[in-house]
């Protein structure tokens, strides 16, 4: 590869690293072009899956200020999932594809500047999506708010009933002048 081509490749990889929320390194040895195309579709539009040159990838990651990436995993045939969207969805796509295609090996990655091992990527894949988690939190908050409102209403309604009973009793005993 000519020097200009290497500079352009490093620049492109640096941009991908800079714009990604998470990155997952994989080994794709033995996968056909058709299978790689299938994997790219499974990862979705918010993940770019690129076959990379290890040395250029390491240079680009360092230039982009990436911390947490295990550079030792940049050996052998490497492809990188650059995730700009939901990391959970991309991790699920990789995990599910690897189950059906054992040639795909998840090596490691990073998310929010922290390193991810293969086991961490699998744990990430086991999480529910952000939307589902937010819906659950909203549902729990709604239930909690309803319980809190009931707790506040109970003493207030008891106070109102007590005051009303007192008023009725005073009226019965001597009228309004005694109140």
């Amino acid at each position: 590869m000519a020097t200009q081509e290497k500079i352009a490749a490093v620049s492109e990889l640096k941009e991908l690293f800079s714009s990604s929320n998470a990155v997952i390194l994989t080994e794709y040895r033995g996968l056909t072009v058709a299978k790689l195309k299938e994997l790219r579709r499974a990862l979705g539009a918010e993940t770019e899956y690129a076959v990379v040159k290890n040395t250029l990838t390491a240079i680009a990651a360092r230039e982009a200020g990436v911390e947490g990436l295990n550079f030792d995993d940049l050996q052998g045939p490497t492809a990188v999932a650059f995730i700009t969207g939901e990391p959970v969805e991309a991790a699920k796509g990789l995990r599910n594809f690897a189950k059906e295609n054992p040639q795909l090996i998840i090596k490691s990655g990073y998310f929010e500047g922290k390193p991810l091992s293969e086991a961490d990527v699998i744990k990430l894949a086991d999480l529910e999506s952000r939307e589902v988690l937010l819906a659950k939190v909203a549902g729990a908050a709604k239930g909690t708010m309803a319980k809190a409102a009931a707790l506040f209403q109970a003493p207030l309604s008891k106070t109102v009933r007590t005051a009303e009973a007192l008023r009725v009793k005073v009226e019965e005993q001597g009228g309004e002048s005694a109140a």
Side-chain angles (χ1 to χ4, degrees):
M1 195 184 283
T3 306
Q4 277 303 87
E5 290 174 346
K6 288 180 181 180
I7 292 170
V10 168
S11 177
E12 183 181 342
L13 288 169
K14 181 180 172 184
E15 177 59 34
L16 286 169
F17 275 113
S18 296
S19 64
S20 297
N21 301 329
V23 169
I24 299 174
L25 301 177
T26 65
E27 182 177 318
Y28 65 94
R29 187 185 327 250
L31 289 175
T32 64
V33 173
K35 285 290 183 185
L36 287 174
K37 189 175 181 180
E38 183 182 326
L39 173 58
R40 285 184 177 103
R41 273 196 309 269
L43 293 174
E46 295 181 322
T47 300
E48 184 165 336
Y49 189 73
V51 173
V52 296
K53 294 224 176 258
N54 295 328
T55 305
L56 300 181
T57 302
I59 292 168
R62 286 187 179 102
E63 284 185 9
V66 171
E67 295 178 18
L69 188 64
N70 186 355
F71 290 101
D72 293 338
D73 284 335
L74 287 172
Q75 296 179 5
T78 303
V80 183
F82 295 98
I83 306 162
T84 56
E86 184 64 41
V88 172
E89 296 305 317
K92 282 179 197 250
L94 285 167
R95 179 201 57 198
N96 295 343
F97 190 86
K99 281 181 183 178
E100 296 172 13
N101 301 279
Q103 300 94 336
L104 180 72
I105 298 168
I106 298 170
K107 294 180 178 181
S108 63
Y110 80 91
F111 176 49
E112 295 181 344
K114 294 179 181 71
L116 295 174
S117 66
E118 176 189 1
D120 293 333
V121 174
I122 302 303
K123 286 179 190 173
L124 187 62
D126 290 338
L127 292 175
E128 293 176 330
S129 72
R130 182 175 190 271
E131 289 77 19
V132 171
L133 292 173
L134 287 174
K136 285 185 176 185
V137 168
K142 183 179 177 184
T144 303
M145 291 301 290
K147 289 177 185 175
L151 287 174
F152 285 118
Q153 288 174 354
L156 185 60
S157 63
K158 188 175 182 180
T159 303
V160 169
R161 282 194 304 271
T162 303
E164 180 63 19
L166 251 161
R167 185 189 65 76
V168 169
K169 188 172 185 179
V170 167
E171 283 181 3
E172 288 174 356
Q173 289 181 350
E176 291 180 33
S177 60

PDB file of all heavy atoms in Angstrom, residues 154-179:
ATOM      1  N   ALA A 154     -53.916   9.595  51.794  1.00  0.00           N
ATOM      2  CA  ALA A 154     -54.520   8.911  52.942  1.00  0.00           C
ATOM      3  C   ALA A 154     -54.522   9.798  54.179  1.00  0.00           C
ATOM      4  O   ALA A 154     -55.572  10.025  54.776  1.00  0.00           O
ATOM      5  CB  ALA A 154     -53.816   7.589  53.206  1.00  0.00           C
ATOM      6  N   PRO A 155     -53.414  10.362  54.634  1.00  0.00           N
ATOM      7  CA  PRO A 155     -53.452  11.218  55.812  1.00  0.00           C
ATOM      8  C   PRO A 155     -54.287  12.479  55.587  1.00  0.00           C
ATOM      9  O   PRO A 155     -54.990  12.922  56.490  1.00  0.00           O
ATOM     10  CB  PRO A 155     -51.987  11.583  56.045  1.00  0.00           C
ATOM     11  CG  PRO A 155     -51.207  10.520  55.360  1.00  0.00           C
ATOM     12  CD  PRO A 155     -52.062  10.087  54.223  1.00  0.00           C
ATOM     13  N   LEU A 156     -54.221  13.032  54.381  1.00  0.00           N
ATOM     14  CA  LEU A 156     -54.978  14.237  54.082  1.00  0.00           C
ATOM     15  C   LEU A 156     -56.473  13.965  54.152  1.00  0.00           C
ATOM     16  O   LEU A 156     -57.236  14.727  54.770  1.00  0.00           O
ATOM     17  CB  LEU A 156     -54.588  14.764  52.700  1.00  0.00           C
ATOM     18  CG  LEU A 156     -55.201  16.096  52.291  1.00  0.00           C
ATOM     19  CD1 LEU A 156     -54.798  17.189  53.264  1.00  0.00           C
ATOM     20  CD2 LEU A 156     -54.763  16.453  50.890  1.00  0.00           C
ATOM     21  N   SER A 157     -56.915  12.876  53.579  1.00  0.00           N
ATOM     22  CA  SER A 157     -58.343  12.559  53.613  1.00  0.00           C
ATOM     23  C   SER A 157     -58.782  12.234  55.039  1.00  0.00           C
ATOM     24  O   SER A 157     -59.893  12.571  55.440  1.00  0.00           O
ATOM     25  CB  SER A 157     -58.658  11.403  52.670  1.00  0.00           C
ATOM     26  OG  SER A 157     -57.983  10.236  53.084  1.00  0.00           O
ATOM     27  N   LYS A 158     -57.917  11.614  55.821  1.00  0.00           N
ATOM     28  CA  LYS A 158     -58.242  11.325  57.221  1.00  0.00           C
ATOM     29  C   LYS A 158     -58.390  12.625  58.007  1.00  0.00           C
ATOM     30  O   LYS A 158     -59.309  12.764  58.822  1.00  0.00           O
ATOM     31  CB  LYS A 158     -57.143  10.450  57.830  1.00  0.00           C
ATOM     32  CG  LYS A 158     -57.464   9.950  59.200  1.00  0.00           C
ATOM     33  CD  LYS A 158     -56.401   8.989  59.688  1.00  0.00           C
ATOM     34  CE  LYS A 158     -56.755   8.448  61.050  1.00  0.00           C
ATOM     35  NZ  LYS A 158     -55.734   7.528  61.542  1.00  0.00           N
ATOM     36  N   THR A 159     -57.519  13.592  57.722  1.00  0.00           N
ATOM     37  CA  THR A 159     -57.591  14.897  58.385  1.00  0.00           C
ATOM     38  C   THR A 159     -58.886  15.602  58.024  1.00  0.00           C
ATOM     39  O   THR A 159     -59.565  16.179  58.896  1.00  0.00           O
ATOM     40  CB  THR A 159     -56.378  15.759  57.978  1.00  0.00           C
ATOM     41  OG1 THR A 159     -55.182  15.063  58.308  1.00  0.00           O
ATOM     42  CG2 THR A 159     -56.375  17.104  58.678  1.00  0.00           C
ATOM     43  N   VAL A 160     -59.260  15.565  56.756  1.00  0.00           N
ATOM     44  CA  VAL A 160     -60.499  16.207  56.304  1.00  0.00           C
ATOM     45  C   VAL A 160     -61.703  15.546  56.973  1.00  0.00           C
ATOM     46  O   VAL A 160     -62.616  16.227  57.442  1.00  0.00           O
ATOM     47  CB  VAL A 160     -60.609  16.161  54.763  1.00  0.00           C
ATOM     48  CG1 VAL A 160     -61.993  16.575  54.295  1.00  0.00           C
ATOM     49  CG2 VAL A 160     -59.536  17.041  54.137  1.00  0.00           C
ATOM     50  N   ARG A 161     -61.717  14.210  57.018  1.00  0.00           N
ATOM     51  CA  ARG A 161     -62.839  13.506  57.672  1.00  0.00           C
ATOM     52  C   ARG A 161     -62.920  13.857  59.159  1.00  0.00           C
ATOM     53  O   ARG A 161     -64.002  14.058  59.704  1.00  0.00           O
ATOM     54  CB  ARG A 161     -62.680  11.996  57.491  1.00  0.00           C
ATOM     55  CG  ARG A 161     -63.086  11.498  56.125  1.00  0.00           C
ATOM     56  CD  ARG A 161     -63.247   9.981  56.086  1.00  0.00           C
ATOM     57  NE  ARG A 161     -62.061   9.261  56.518  1.00  0.00           N
ATOM     58  CZ  ARG A 161     -61.060   8.878  55.723  1.00  0.00           C
ATOM     59  NH1 ARG A 161     -61.126   9.153  54.441  1.00  0.00           N
ATOM     60  NH2 ARG A 161     -60.023   8.231  56.208  1.00  0.00           N
ATOM     61  N   THR A 162     -61.766  13.938  59.818  1.00  0.00           N
ATOM     62  CA  THR A 162     -61.745  14.270  61.250  1.00  0.00           C
ATOM     63  C   THR A 162     -62.265  15.683  61.468  1.00  0.00           C
ATOM     64  O   THR A 162     -63.076  15.934  62.379  1.00  0.00           O
ATOM     65  CB  THR A 162     -60.311  14.133  61.808  1.00  0.00           C
ATOM     66  OG1 THR A 162     -59.850  12.814  61.555  1.00  0.00           O
ATOM     67  CG2 THR A 162     -60.261  14.415  63.292  1.00  0.00           C
ATOM     68  N   ALA A 163     -61.811  16.634  60.625  1.00  0.00           N
ATOM     69  CA  ALA A 163     -62.270  18.022  60.758  1.00  0.00           C
ATOM     70  C   ALA A 163     -63.768  18.115  60.503  1.00  0.00           C
ATOM     71  O   ALA A 163     -64.495  18.840  61.217  1.00  0.00           O
ATOM     72  CB  ALA A 163     -61.510  18.910  59.785  1.00  0.00           C
ATOM     73  N   GLU A 164     -64.256  17.385  59.512  1.00  0.00           N
ATOM     74  CA  GLU A 164     -65.694  17.390  59.205  1.00  0.00           C
ATOM     75  C   GLU A 164     -66.489  16.796  60.366  1.00  0.00           C
ATOM     76  O   GLU A 164     -67.547  17.314  60.757  1.00  0.00           O
ATOM     77  CB  GLU A 164     -65.958  16.633  57.910  1.00  0.00           C
ATOM     78  CG  GLU A 164     -67.421  16.583  57.490  1.00  0.00           C
ATOM     79  CD  GLU A 164     -68.002  17.959  57.195  1.00  0.00           C
ATOM     80  OE1 GLU A 164     -67.253  18.917  56.952  1.00  0.00           O
ATOM     81  OE2 GLU A 164     -69.238  18.076  57.216  1.00  0.00           O
ATOM     82  N   ALA A 165     -66.006  15.715  60.955  1.00  0.00           N
ATOM     83  CA  ALA A 165     -66.684  15.100  62.102  1.00  0.00           C
ATOM     84  C   ALA A 165     -66.715  16.060  63.287  1.00  0.00           C
ATOM     85  O   ALA A 165     -67.721  16.149  63.995  1.00  0.00           O
ATOM     86  CB  ALA A 165     -65.983  13.799  62.490  1.00  0.00           C
ATOM     87  N   LEU A 166     -65.636  16.767  63.482  1.00  0.00           N
ATOM     88  CA  LEU A 166     -65.580  17.763  64.566  1.00  0.00           C
ATOM     89  C   LEU A 166     -66.596  18.869  64.334  1.00  0.00           C
ATOM     90  O   LEU A 166     -67.296  19.306  65.262  1.00  0.00           O
ATOM     91  CB  LEU A 166     -64.178  18.372  64.627  1.00  0.00           C
ATOM     92  CG  LEU A 166     -63.350  17.959  65.826  1.00  0.00           C
ATOM     93  CD1 LEU A 166     -61.888  18.231  65.567  1.00  0.00           C
ATOM     94  CD2 LEU A 166     -63.802  18.649  67.072  1.00  0.00           C
ATOM     95  N   ARG A 167     -66.667  19.350  63.102  1.00  0.00           N
ATOM     96  CA  ARG A 167     -67.614  20.418  62.775  1.00  0.00           C
ATOM     97  C   ARG A 167     -69.041  19.971  63.032  1.00  0.00           C
ATOM     98  O   ARG A 167     -69.844  20.687  63.630  1.00  0.00           O
ATOM     99  CB  ARG A 167     -67.439  20.822  61.298  1.00  0.00           C
ATOM    100  CG  ARG A 167     -68.308  22.025  60.899  1.00  0.00           C
ATOM    101  CD  ARG A 167     -68.298  22.262  59.404  1.00  0.00           C
ATOM    102  NE  ARG A 167     -68.893  21.192  58.623  1.00  0.00           N
ATOM    103  CZ  ARG A 167     -70.219  20.971  58.512  1.00  0.00           C
ATOM    104  NH1 ARG A 167     -71.076  21.706  59.151  1.00  0.00           N
ATOM    105  NH2 ARG A 167     -70.670  19.987  57.768  1.00  0.00           N
ATOM    106  N   VAL A 168     -69.373  18.748  62.606  1.00  0.00           N
ATOM    107  CA  VAL A 168     -70.721  18.218  62.801  1.00  0.00           C
ATOM    108  C   VAL A 168     -71.021  18.103  64.291  1.00  0.00           C
ATOM    109  O   VAL A 168     -72.099  18.468  64.763  1.00  0.00           O
ATOM    110  CB  VAL A 168     -70.875  16.860  62.079  1.00  0.00           C
ATOM    111  CG1 VAL A 168     -72.169  16.166  62.478  1.00  0.00           C
ATOM    112  CG2 VAL A 168     -70.829  17.056  60.584  1.00  0.00           C
ATOM    113  N   LYS A 169     -70.100  17.628  65.068  1.00  0.00           N
ATOM    114  CA  LYS A 169     -70.288  17.455  66.510  1.00  0.00           C
ATOM    115  C   LYS A 169     -70.514  18.794  67.195  1.00  0.00           C
ATOM    116  O   LYS A 169     -71.371  18.928  68.068  1.00  0.00           O
ATOM    117  CB  LYS A 169     -69.084  16.742  67.108  1.00  0.00           C
ATOM    118  CG  LYS A 169     -69.292  16.353  68.545  1.00  0.00           C
ATOM    119  CD  LYS A 169     -68.161  15.483  69.028  1.00  0.00           C
ATOM    120  CE  LYS A 169     -68.481  15.032  70.438  1.00  0.00           C
ATOM    121  NZ  LYS A 169     -67.471  14.166  70.988  1.00  0.00           N
ATOM    122  N   VAL A 170     -69.728  19.803  66.787  1.00  0.00           N
ATOM    123  CA  VAL A 170     -69.869  21.131  67.382  1.00  0.00           C
ATOM    124  C   VAL A 170     -71.233  21.694  67.046  1.00  0.00           C
ATOM    125  O   VAL A 170     -71.911  22.285  67.910  1.00  0.00           O
ATOM    126  CB  VAL A 170     -68.736  22.065  66.892  1.00  0.00           C
ATOM    127  CG1 VAL A 170     -69.021  23.515  67.235  1.00  0.00           C
ATOM    128  CG2 VAL A 170     -67.411  21.633  67.483  1.00  0.00           C
ATOM    129  N   GLU A 171     -71.681  21.505  65.823  1.00  0.00           N
ATOM    130  CA  GLU A 171     -72.991  22.003  65.418  1.00  0.00           C
ATOM    131  C   GLU A 171     -74.100  21.325  66.224  1.00  0.00           C
ATOM    132  O   GLU A 171     -75.061  21.970  66.632  1.00  0.00           O
ATOM    133  CB  GLU A 171     -73.223  21.782  63.928  1.00  0.00           C
ATOM    134  CG  GLU A 171     -72.510  22.762  63.051  1.00  0.00           C
ATOM    135  CD  GLU A 171     -72.777  22.520  61.571  1.00  0.00           C
ATOM    136  OE1 GLU A 171     -73.555  21.619  61.217  1.00  0.00           O
ATOM    137  OE2 GLU A 171     -72.178  23.239  60.755  1.00  0.00           O
ATOM    138  N   GLU A 172     -73.935  20.030  66.469  1.00  0.00           N
ATOM    139  CA  GLU A 172     -74.941  19.294  67.220  1.00  0.00           C
ATOM    140  C   GLU A 172     -74.996  19.747  68.687  1.00  0.00           C
ATOM    141  O   GLU A 172     -76.043  19.786  69.301  1.00  0.00           O
ATOM    142  CB  GLU A 172     -74.653  17.797  67.176  1.00  0.00           C
ATOM    143  CG  GLU A 172     -74.927  17.157  65.832  1.00  0.00           C
ATOM    144  CD  GLU A 172     -74.490  15.702  65.769  1.00  0.00           C
ATOM    145  OE1 GLU A 172     -73.904  15.192  66.738  1.00  0.00           O
ATOM    146  OE2 GLU A 172     -74.732  15.076  64.731  1.00  0.00           O
ATOM    147  N   GLN A 173     -73.855  20.098  69.238  1.00  0.00           N
ATOM    148  CA  GLN A 173     -73.797  20.444  70.646  1.00  0.00           C
ATOM    149  C   GLN A 173     -74.165  21.877  70.931  1.00  0.00           C
ATOM    150  O   GLN A 173     -74.569  22.211  72.021  1.00  0.00           O
ATOM    151  CB  GLN A 173     -72.394  20.151  71.204  1.00  0.00           C
ATOM    152  CG  GLN A 173     -72.123  18.689  71.324  1.00  0.00           C
ATOM    153  CD  GLN A 173     -70.742  18.431  71.892  1.00  0.00           C
ATOM    154  OE1 GLN A 173     -69.935  19.320  72.031  1.00  0.00           O
ATOM    155  NE2 GLN A 173     -70.492  17.179  72.221  1.00  0.00           N
ATOM    156  N   GLY A 174     -73.933  22.757  70.081  1.00  0.00           N
ATOM    157  CA  GLY A 174     -74.279  24.105  70.453  1.00  0.00           C
ATOM    158  C   GLY A 174     -74.365  25.067  69.310  1.00  0.00           C
ATOM    159  O   GLY A 174     -74.458  26.263  69.523  1.00  0.00           O
ATOM    160  N   GLY A 175     -74.318  24.578  68.166  1.00  0.00           N
ATOM    161  CA  GLY A 175     -74.447  25.475  67.042  1.00  0.00           C
ATOM    162  C   GLY A 175     -73.115  26.057  66.634  1.00  0.00           C
ATOM    163  O   GLY A 175     -72.054  25.734  67.157  1.00  0.00           O
ATOM    164  N   GLU A 176     -73.226  27.028  65.745  1.00  0.00           N
ATOM    165  CA  GLU A 176     -72.038  27.616  65.154  1.00  0.00           C
ATOM    166  C   GLU A 176     -71.363  28.587  66.094  1.00  0.00           C
ATOM    167  O   GLU A 176     -70.197  28.841  66.019  1.00  0.00           O
ATOM    168  CB  GLU A 176     -72.395  28.312  63.850  1.00  0.00           C
ATOM    169  CG  GLU A 176     -72.777  27.340  62.755  1.00  0.00           C
ATOM    170  CD  GLU A 176     -73.116  28.065  61.464  1.00  0.00           C
ATOM    171  OE1 GLU A 176     -72.513  29.114  61.179  1.00  0.00           O
ATOM    172  OE2 GLU A 176     -73.963  27.547  60.752  1.00  0.00           O
ATOM    173  N   SER A 177     -72.097  29.183  67.035  1.00  0.00           N
ATOM    174  CA  SER A 177     -71.518  30.186  67.934  1.00  0.00           C
ATOM    175  C   SER A 177     -70.488  29.554  68.856  1.00  0.00           C
ATOM    176  O   SER A 177     -69.523  30.188  69.246  1.00  0.00           O
ATOM    177  CB  SER A 177     -72.600  30.896  68.739  1.00  0.00           C
ATOM    178  OG  SER A 177     -73.315  29.924  69.520  1.00  0.00           O
ATOM    179  N   ALA A 178     -70.675  28.301  69.209  1.00  0.00           N
ATOM    180  CA  ALA A 178     -69.731  27.625  70.089  1.00  0.00           C
ATOM    181  C   ALA A 178     -68.433  27.309  69.332  1.00  0.00           C
ATOM    182  O   ALA A 178     -67.379  27.173  69.933  1.00  0.00           O
ATOM    183  CB  ALA A 178     -70.317  26.333  70.636  1.00  0.00           C
ATOM    184  N   ALA A 179     -68.534  27.187  68.009  1.00  0.00           N
ATOM    185  CA  ALA A 179     -67.346  26.889  67.221  1.00  0.00           C
ATOM    186  C   ALA A 179     -66.490  28.096  67.192  1.00  0.00           C
ATOM    187  O   ALA A 179     -65.355  28.141  67.194  1.00  0.00           O
ATOM    188  CB  ALA A 179     -67.730  26.465  65.809  1.00  0.00           C
TER     189      ALA A 179
END
